[in-house]
Amino acid sequence: MSFSFLFKPVVGKLRQFIPYIFAILSIIPVSSQAASSAVILQYHHVSDETPRITSVTPETFKKHINYLAENNFNVMPLVDVIEALRNKKVLPERTVTITFDDAYLSIYTNAFPILREHGFPFTIFVTPTPVDKNYQQFLSWEQLREMTAAGATLANHTMSHVHSVERLPGETKAQWLSRFRLDLELTEARIQEKTGHSVKMFAWTFGETTPELRATLDEMGYVGFGQQSGAAGEYSDFTRLPRFPMAGIYGVNDFAIKVKSKALPVTSQSPDSEL
C-alpha cells in the first residue's frame, strides 16, 4: 500500500488551516519569537485588465493600503528593514514593507497615487530591458525617476526576466554561474546609470533559486527575495527572504492575518532548491 496515497487527503485538509496558523502566530508573545520581524508584501500588476494570477485590482490595493494606514502599521523602506534585521535591531511592532516586481506601468498609474497619498515608501524590482524598449505595459525611466523622488527604491530583477535556475543547452555549471553573475552586474549598472540607485537587493524571477545561485548572490554582496509566504526575521535566509504574494487567490483573503504574521526562528528549510 502507498503511504503517499494515504497522506494526500490529510495534507489537502491541512491547507485550509494555514490562515489560522498565521492568526495564532500573530498573538504569540514577542518574547517567544525572533527579536525582529517584518512582513514583505509582493505585488506585480495593480489593474483590472491584467492576468489575475499576477494582479490585484486597484480597489483591492486601495483596501490593503487603507488597512495598513488605519491600523497604525509601520510601513518602512525595504533597505531600512533589511539593515535592522541583519544587525539584529528590534523593529517596531507591525512593520510592513511594500514591493513590486517587473516595473509594470500600473504601478505608476494605479498604485503610486495611493501610496503617495499616505506617504508610504515602496520598492520596485526592475527588469531594465522592457523599460529600455518602451514596452507598452512597462514603466519608463522618467516615471521610475519620478517615483524615486517620492520615496521609491529601485532594485535588481535581472535584465530581461530570465529564468535563472535554467542552464542553456551544453552550458557547464561554471558558465551558468558566470552568466548569472554577469546578468546581475549589467542590471545593477543599468539601474544605477538611469536612476542613481544601487542597493544590491535582488528578487528571484519566478521565485526560484538553487544553492549554487544563492552562494553566488551572497558572494556578490546581494540580499535575495523569494515568493514564498512568511514573515522575515533575523534568522531568515538573506539570499531568499520570504514575501507574501498579493495576487490571484493570494491577494484576496486574509490580508489582515498575513500582515500581522511574525517570523519564526527557523535556521534551515527544505527543499533547498526549486529544481
Side-chain angles (χ1 to χ4, degrees):
M1 179 181 292
S2 169
F3 286 100
S4 64
F5 174 78
L6 292 174
F7 281 119
K8 280 181 181 178
V10 176
V11 172
K13 289 181 180 179
L14 285 174
R15 287 176 180 165
Q16 65 182 304
F17 294 106
I18 289 175
Y20 302 101
I21 293 172
F22 285 134
I24 292 170
L25 293 178
S26 71
I27 60 174
I28 295 174
V30 174
S31 60
S32 66
Q33 304 168 19
S36 286
S37 187
V39 169
I40 307 171
L41 302 177
Q42 179 209 21
Y43 295 90
H44 286 85
H45 299 277
V46 180
S47 174
D48 294 301
E49 302 174 352
T50 47
R52 185 169 177 265
I53 192 64
T54 55
S55 305
V56 295
T57 67
E59 180 184 6
T60 296
F61 185 77
K62 186 171 185 178
K63 287 179 179 178
H64 288 177
I65 300 306
N66 285 345
Y67 181 86
L68 297 177
E70 292 165 3
N71 290 276
N72 299 313
F73 278 80
N74 179 50
V75 182
M76 288 181 63
L78 185 58
V79 289
D80 293 347
V81 168
I82 298 308
E83 192 273 337
L85 294 179
R86 297 201 87 162
N87 291 285
K88 303 187 187 304
K89 296 178 181 178
V90 178
L91 286 166
E93 280 291 286
R94 296 192 175 190
T95 291
V96 170
T97 187
I98 299 164
T99 71
F100 299 88
D101 284 10
D102 304 332
Y104 289 117
L105 179 60
S106 64
I107 300 169
Y108 180 82
T109 56
N110 295 329
F112 180 44
I114 298 168
L115 292 165
R116 182 168 49 186
E117 178 184 346
H118 291 283
F120 284 171
F122 57 99
T123 296
I124 305 173
F125 288 99
V126 179
T127 299
T129 297
V131 178
D132 285 336
K133 293 185 176 181
N134 299 312
Y135 285 174
Q136 187 175 6
Q137 288 194 18
F138 283 80
L139 294 159
S140 67
W141 287 116
E142 182 179 355
Q143 289 165 333
L144 286 164
R145 285 191 291 268
E146 180 184 342
M147 287 189 285
T148 62
T153 300
L154 306 185
N156 197 313
H157 199 41
T158 76
M159 278 297 291
S160 55
H161 209 276
V162 295
H163 199 192
S164 300
V165 299
E166 290 188 352
R167 295 195 202 184
L168 300 177
E171 190 174 43
T172 66
K173 178 180 176 181
Q175 290 170 334
W176 167 51
L177 295 178
S178 178
R179 178 168 57 85
F180 172 72
R181 181 185 292 271
L182 179 60
D183 190 282
L184 257 67
E185 290 172 344
L186 291 173
T187 305
E188 197 73 13
R190 185 60 173 161
I191 294 171
Q192 186 169 20
E193 175 191 356
K194 299 298 289 186
T195 68
H197 279 222
S198 180
V199 294
K200 287 206 165 185
M201 298 190 302
F202 174 73
W204 295 100
T205 53
F206 308 99
E208 296 180 354
T209 179
T210 69
E212 300 94 333
L213 290 172
R214 292 198 303 278
T216 301
L217 190 79
D218 190 48
E219 289 168 8
M220 295 176 70
Y222 282 78
V223 175
F225 299 84
Q227 296 184 25
Q228 73 278 20
S229 294
E234 63 186 57
Y235 293 96
S236 299
D237 181 349
F238 282 83
T239 65
R240 55 171 173 181
L241 289 168
R243 294 185 293 169
F244 280 103
M246 292 287 112
I249 60 172
Y250 302 108
V252 177
N253 301 313
D254 310 312
F255 179 80
I257 293 173
K258 291 174 182 178
V259 292
K260 293 176 185 176
S261 299
K262 302 292 184 182
L264 293 175
V266 175
T267 57
S268 64
Q269 62 187 74
S270 181
D272 201 33
S273 171
E274 280 77 29
L275 288 180

